Amino acid sequence: MKNYYKKSIAIIAGLLCSLTSFSQDFTEGVFVLNEGLFGTDTASVSHFNESNVLENDIYATQNAGLDLGNTGQGMGFTEDFTYVVLNGTNAVKVIDRASFELVTTITDQMVNPRNIAIYEGKGYVTNWGDGGVADDDYVAVIDLATNTVIETISVVEGPEEIVQKGGKLFVAHQGGFNFGNTVSVIDTSTNAVEVISVGDVPSALRIDENFLFVLCSGKPNYADVETTGALVKIDLSSFDNIDTFTFPDIVHPQFLGLDDTDVFYMVDSNVYKMDISATTLPTSPFIDTASENIMVPYGFNKIDDKLYIGDAVDFVSEGKVFLYEEDGTFVSESIVGPLPNGFYKYEVEELGVQDISTSIITLYPNPTSGSFSLTTTEKVNVTLYTITGQKVKEVAYTNQAISIAGLRAGIYVVQLEQNGAVSTQKLIIK
């Protein structure tokens, strides 16, 4: 009960914008996921605030020194929670987005999990399954209201990055311990899967309103036949409209960044910039990083007006992050945890068609101590869950206050279902 009370106070303070100097708020800024050394619980998260001030190992700081886990692989966000995918731990950590305190850990049906995408109250996690088995790969579907896996979707070998747009999931099949050359398209309304052929080893995805960009790194020199990389641009209005930009000779590009006008990628330690409407690949780097002496590029992204490069250094030591302005000007070099492999920022989740009717319904009073109501006069099916996913109350709202008698103080997830549309909100009981 004391822990619930502490979390309630933190949430209330955040909502009122009155955090004291002793509190931490991680709702804004850029997160660095540090993979850590494989086989050890050395994964960590670093955080750049809005002034680009860096704080390392925020999970341990906010959770009394607890380890995050083994091999951090991906991150995702909702309005209230941060999700960290831990490949070696076979788990997804659910973390309060404001305080970065642990809420719960999802381990059910997580076998070599890789990355996560979020859409309409569900999390979609790519899983390799047994790395030595070619036909057991899948996407696990998590109900984010209960933090439970409700189903799995079988896909071909080596699902890696996953993004979504308008109810479609796009999964890059890098190939696991083999070499893939496809992107799966999953319809979230039916779980139907179709496959698009791309170049060898699709290693990165970025998506905007009109196009899906797929960076294919090509087969490496230790493969049966080494192949060059390609940048593939897929029209979202028709998956048959595909532009493929093949790199000359044998080149192995990696990583992707995207903004409104340009796509960014790396070759060796240099950054290249290509106009979204361009018909040819650039021939010279946008940023030559030789003066920064980046040793092993390990992560990259374009977020707002900054470019972030992660350096694995020697794969054992603490990693580095190199920050650049969007015009290519070098800003800073920072020390982070081992193997910084990804850069993330919370973006407001795209609403699906079914979310619209329930998105304007709110709970009041919130916090509450006796009952709560909804800002609608229509019937709504209401289900309350504890923050760890236990169902504690189910009732049909008919414009009468809902009693919370018998429920302990704490934070609850309230699921609202109206005419087939489902949304979730957070309720604080004092």
Side-chain angles (χ1 to χ4, degrees):
M1 183 171 181
K2 291 181 179 178
N3 287 337
Y4 280 134
Y5 180 75
K6 289 178 182 178
K7 289 182 180 178
S8 300
I9 293 298
I11 296 295
I12 295 168
L15 293 172
L16 296 176
C17 298
S18 59
L19 291 171
T20 71
S21 60
F22 300 100
S23 302
Q24 287 282 62
D25 186 342
F26 298 99
T27 52
E28 302 296 336
V30 173
F31 297 89
V32 185
L33 180 58
N34 303 301
E35 183 176 304
L37 307 182
F38 182 75
T40 69
D41 290 331
T42 53
S44 67
V45 177
S46 302
H47 177 257
F48 285 96
N49 69 15
E50 292 180 287
S51 300
N52 293 322
V53 176
L54 175 68
E55 181 179 354
N56 282 319
D57 213 1
I58 61 172
Y59 180 84
T61 300
Q62 300 302 112
N63 290 278
L66 290 177
D67 293 327
L68 178 61
N70 181 353
T71 315
Q73 200 65 49
M75 293 183 73
F77 305 90
T78 63
E79 182 179 0
D80 296 318
F81 303 106
T82 296
Y83 301 84
V84 179
V85 181
L86 295 157
N87 174 253
T89 305
N90 289 318
V92 176
K93 296 275 189 181
V94 184
I95 299 167
D96 185 279
R97 194 167 73 85
S99 68
F100 225 74
E101 293 178 358
L102 176 65
V103 174
T104 191
T105 301
I106 303 169
T107 57
D108 179 42
Q109 300 184 71
M110 295 294 155
V111 184
N112 276 318
R114 306 298 290 177
N115 289 278
I116 185 170
I118 292 170
Y119 183 67
E120 290 195 332
K122 295 178 181 177
Y124 296 86
V125 181
T126 54
N127 283 259
W128 282 7
D130 185 331
V133 178
D135 59 358
D136 68 341
D137 304 61
Y138 59 94
V139 174
V141 184
I142 302 172
D143 182 337
L144 299 182
T146 62
N147 290 321
T148 56
V149 176
I150 55 176
E151 59 187 326
T152 61
I153 305 168
S154 295
V155 293
V156 299
E157 186 177 18
E160 192 70 37
E161 286 207 17
I162 180 170
V163 297
Q164 76 83 20
K165 174 64 68 174
K168 300 283 190 182
L169 299 170
F170 299 88
V171 181
H173 293 277
Q174 192 167 338
F177 294 133
N178 292 307
F179 306 110
N181 60 4
T182 61
V183 169
S184 287
V185 184
I186 302 173
D187 187 331
T188 58
S189 64
T190 64
N191 289 351
V193 181
E194 60 180 298
V195 175
I196 301 174
S197 295
V198 292
D200 289 332
V201 192
S203 56
L205 301 176
R206 289 293 183 270
I207 198 165
D208 64 12
E209 292 300 319
N210 301 305
F211 299 101
L212 172 70
F213 294 88
V214 185
L215 189 76
C216 304
S217 294
K219 292 183 181 180
N221 58 10
Y222 55 81
D224 51 350
V225 177
E226 185 177 8
T227 59
T228 194
L231 178 62
V232 180
K233 179 181 176 183
I234 302 173
D235 191 327
L236 295 179
S237 64
S238 173
F239 300 152
D240 292 329
N241 294 334
I242 300 176
D243 292 325
T244 300
F245 303 88
T246 303
F247 286 80
D249 302 319
I250 299 292
V251 176
H252 299 296
Q254 55 186 340
F255 314 122
L256 269 182
L258 182 67
D259 60 22
D260 291 338
T261 58
D262 299 286
V263 59
F264 302 81
Y265 59 86
M266 295 188 71
V267 175
D268 298 324
S269 296
N270 293 328
V271 178
Y272 287 74
K273 175 181 176 180
M274 175 180 168
D275 189 286
I276 287 175
S277 61
T279 57
T280 59
L281 293 168
T283 57
S284 58
F286 170 60
I287 303 175
D288 185 332
T289 68
S291 59
E292 281 72 65
N293 192 31
I294 296 174
M295 299 177 68
V296 183
Y298 206 69
F300 171 81
N301 206 356
K302 169 75 159 53
I303 299 178
D304 297 331
D305 61 349
K306 298 289 189 297
L307 291 154
Y308 297 81
I309 300 175
D311 184 357
V313 186
D314 57 8
F315 294 98
V316 177
S317 305
E318 292 178 318
K320 296 180 180 180
V321 170
F322 295 84
L323 182 62
Y324 296 83
E325 299 287 358
E326 62 183 353
D327 64 2
T329 303
F330 174 69
V331 176
S332 64
E333 173 186 335
S334 303
I335 301 295
V336 292
L339 307 184
N341 66 11
F343 301 91
Y344 303 86
K345 182 182 179 181
Y346 167 72
E347 304 289 348
V348 177
E349 184 180 356
E350 173 188 298
L351 288 178
V353 174
Q354 290 188 333
D355 281 325
I356 295 174
S357 64
T358 55
S359 64
I360 61 174
I361 300 175
T362 58
L363 314 174
Y364 72 95
N366 191 9
T368 184
S369 58
S371 63
F372 69 93
S373 298
L374 305 180
T375 55
T376 181
T377 58
E378 299 181 5
K379 180 180 177 181
V380 180
N381 294 320
V382 179
T383 308
L384 272 70
Y385 299 90
T386 66
I387 205 71
T388 57
Q390 179 185 2
K391 183 191 293 186
V392 294
K393 191 176 186 70
E394 189 170 13
V395 64
Y397 176 80
T398 54
N399 204 26
Q400 293 184 339
I402 298 173
S403 172
I404 55 171
L407 297 182
R408 297 194 303 173
I411 303 174
Y412 291 79
V413 176
V414 182
Q415 180 175 284
L416 308 176
E417 188 275 324
Q418 183 183 54
N419 300 323
V422 178
S423 68
T424 58
Q425 296 188 35
K426 186 160 52 179
L427 175 69
I428 299 171
I429 298 179
K430 298 187 291 186

